[in-house]
Amino acid sequence: MRSTSSKNRTTRAAKPAAALLAAALALALTGCGGSDDDSDSGGSKTSGSTSGSTVTLPKLDGQTLEVAAVWTGAEQKNFMKVMDEFKKRTGAKINFVPTGNNTSTFLGTKIQGGKPPDVAFLPQVGVLHQFADKGWLKPMGAEAKAQLDKNFSKGWVDLGAWKGKQYGVYAKAANKSLVWYNTAAFEAAGITSPPKTWKDFLTTAQTLSDAGSPAVSVGGADGWTLTDWFENIYLSQAGPEKYDQLAAHKIKWTDPSVTQALTTLAQLWGKNDLLAGGNKGALNTEFPKSVTQTFSGDNPAAMVFEGDFVAANINGDTKAKMGTDAKVFPFPAVGAKAPVVSGGDVAVALKDGKGPQALLTFLASTDAAQIWAAQGGILSPNKEMDMSSYKDAITKQIAQALLAAGDDFRFDMSDQAPAAFGGTAGVGEWKDLQDFLRNPKDIAGTQQKLEADAAKAYATG
């Protein structure tokens, strides 16, 4: 877990690639119009199945596979469309089990109790490392590995490997450097273009608030959203090298660069009137609600920060039309460059057998990627898939921009950390940043808590 050589190799972000991605997003997203129904939107009308099969799967009649993942609501429904196709082709039944936000704790308890699911999606690469070290993961078989090598770039392949063994496939990726906005709120406030810098973002938020709209919706009840806020600010402000050092805990959370990032974050979180429901309301708002209260209701919020997966909630839980009522812009530049932070969910087998390996094989195929993309609210790192499968033009362009970065991308910092620090509700970074949202003036105290929790988690793994 402590080794950082492979981590640094697979999550590095060359400045030219980061600049390319940010520029591509800026060009593609800010002016993107059209709805899901537009015939020229660049999206596909596919609703569930592929036109042909590119992968051979075994017959699994009579078998039931248990699949565990964090998704609920629209994200879970979209994933089950992929599972429907797997069931159709193999005859296997799928039992989906939601893990809750404490994925590693949930799975660890199941494994130690002798009842692990067949396949699980891990939202943190650090958890993959921990589980592999404990012998809880089953290496990918030859068929699954062949699909993986054919359809994914080396950077994404390496993220699913540990200590020379391939364990998983990143079937679902995320661009976590996006701000989604309600176009009606922007128009009512007289805002004609999205902000490009953090200073402009704060000015925009104040303008929206003055015009009567809750400016920024924050899903603070889910601590992982707060880590994403911090990571984007830190990457843009402190730069890639510092980001890597903090991710590996080679510098402490009491470092001046963290002080600067928290001070910057407090410029927003410290203004109660700019947050939907104020600080207290933000702390009581879960991620799905942070999206729905931006695009529905009598007085919707104007902006919500989070990844491309926000689209699934917009499409599934609101009447807003992507590209018309809901648009998106890159996270504003805090330093010289806008940040580009990615994340993802890696599918791994926790049981031996033909069934789990067949599911990994399918998830690594273009067939599965295209079915999932057609549902909306997902990016796939699968470089061989038909890009016209994406449900709408906005998501398609986000996906193209992500692929354009090749292997040069920054992976979510908290997802690289031990789960006790970066991936567990109620403790570690999630809890410490929730406390900071509650009291944004306590920068020094927040840093001390972050460092104490990080030191303990990295020492024990």
Side-chain angles (χ1 to χ4, degrees):
M1 180 69 202
R2 259 347 36 85
S3 173
T4 59
S5 59
S6 62
K7 180 185 294 183
N8 288 342
R9 182 179 68 251
T10 58
T11 61
R12 70 192 189 281
K15 292 182 180 180
L20 170 65
L21 182 49
L25 284 171
L27 178 64
L29 304 181
T30 57
C32 186
S35 70
D36 294 352
D37 298 324
D38 289 347
S39 60
D40 62 347
S41 67
S44 170
K45 300 299 179 284
T46 306
S47 62
S49 64
T50 54
S51 58
S53 175
T54 65
V55 61
T56 301
L57 300 173
K59 289 299 181 183
L60 302 171
D61 297 285
Q63 292 193 34
T64 298
L65 300 180
E66 187 170 271
V67 180
V70 71
W71 311 310
T72 58
E75 284 189 295
Q76 181 182 333
K77 290 177 183 177
N78 291 346
F79 172 68
M80 290 310 295
K81 292 291 181 67
V82 184
M83 294 298 93
D84 288 343
E85 182 68 14
F86 181 77
K87 289 187 287 183
K88 177 182 175 182
R89 296 191 189 186
T90 65
K93 295 182 180 179
I94 298 294
N95 179 27
F96 182 86
V97 179
T99 65
N101 280 331
N102 290 337
T103 300
S104 63
T105 301
F106 174 90
L107 292 174
T109 300
K110 296 268 284 184
I111 293 166
Q112 291 173 321
K115 296 182 178 180
D118 294 274
V119 171
F121 283 82
L122 308 179
Q124 290 98 20
V125 68
V127 174
L128 183 148
H129 297 170
Q130 289 177 303
F131 281 18
D133 283 341
K134 291 180 179 181
W136 289 351
L137 304 184
K138 309 301 179 183
M140 292 180 75
E143 292 84 1
K145 185 68 164 58
Q147 286 292 316
L148 185 68
D149 291 340
K150 182 175 78 170
N151 297 322
F152 292 78
S153 70
K154 187 177 184 298
W156 287 103
V157 171
D158 287 351
L159 280 171
W162 184 238
K163 294 182 178 177
K165 292 184 179 181
Q166 191 71 46
Y167 291 104
V169 52
Y170 272 87
K172 185 175 187 289
N175 182 316
K176 306 183 87 172
S177 299
L178 302 171
V179 180
W180 301 79
Y181 67 101
N182 185 314
T183 56
F186 269 50
E187 290 169 5
I191 299 169
T192 57
S193 60
K196 295 182 179 180
T197 68
W198 181 253
K199 181 180 179 181
D200 291 343
F201 180 79
L202 295 175
T203 299
T204 297
Q206 190 63 60
T207 300
L208 289 161
S209 179
D210 292 343
S213 292
V216 183
S217 177
V218 176
D222 290 322
W224 60 266
T225 68
L226 306 185
T227 70
D228 291 345
W229 273 102
F230 172 83
E231 287 159 10
N232 276 273
I233 287 175
Y234 190 84
L235 176 58
S236 181
Q237 192 172 61
E241 293 181 6
K242 283 280 191 180
Y243 185 96
D244 285 344
Q245 291 170 3
L246 188 61
H249 201 221
K250 290 184 175 180
I251 58 174
K252 294 183 177 182
W253 283 81
T254 51
D255 189 85
S257 62
V258 179
T259 308
Q260 187 180 21
L262 291 176
T263 301
T264 300
L265 192 51
Q267 292 172 349
L268 175 66
W269 290 4
K271 291 191 175 181
N272 191 70
D273 60 320
L274 296 186
L275 305 181
N279 294 70
K280 183 177 180 180
L283 284 164
N284 291 323
T285 300
E286 296 180 341
F287 163 69
K289 183 182 176 182
S290 73
V291 179
T292 57
Q293 71 181 14
T294 305
F295 298 103
S296 60
D298 295 333
N299 187 29
M303 297 183 286
V304 59
F305 154 71
E306 252 313 332
D308 55 274
F309 44 84
V310 166
N313 298 85
I314 295 174
N315 288 328
D317 302 328
T318 79
K319 295 180 180 179
K321 294 291 186 180
M322 291 276 290
T324 304
D325 307 314
K327 292 187 178 181
V328 62
F329 60 88
F331 195 95
V334 185
K337 298 178 183 294
V340 179
V341 177
S342 67
D345 298 276
V346 58
V348 296
L350 300 177
K351 286 184 180 179
D352 289 314
K354 187 161 54 173
Q357 289 297 327
L359 185 50
L360 291 186
T361 300
F362 185 59
L363 290 168
S365 72
T366 57
D367 296 6
Q370 287 163 194
I371 295 168
W372 210 344
Q375 311 312 314
I378 175 185
L379 299 186
S380 173
N382 191 313
K383 62 184 176 63
E384 299 299 325
M385 67 169 283
D386 182 355
M387 298 297 286
S388 69
S389 300
Y390 281 103
K391 185 180 176 70
D392 58 81
I394 288 181
T395 307
K396 176 184 175 182
Q397 289 167 333
I398 296 172
Q400 289 173 324
L402 185 63
L403 290 176
D407 291 341
D408 295 317
F409 54 87
R410 289 278 180 229
F411 203 81
D412 184 295
M413 184 189 295
S414 62
D415 288 352
Q416 298 181 54
F421 179 66
T424 305
V427 299
E429 189 180 1
W430 291 19
K431 174 63 163 57
D432 296 340
L433 289 180
Q434 286 175 322
D435 289 343
F436 182 60
L437 176 59
R438 185 175 290 107
N439 181 17
K441 294 181 179 180
D442 188 18
I443 293 172
T446 299
Q447 285 187 262
Q448 291 169 1
K449 287 192 291 183
L450 284 164
E451 175 54 28
D453 289 338
K456 181 179 178 181
Y458 277 85
T460 60

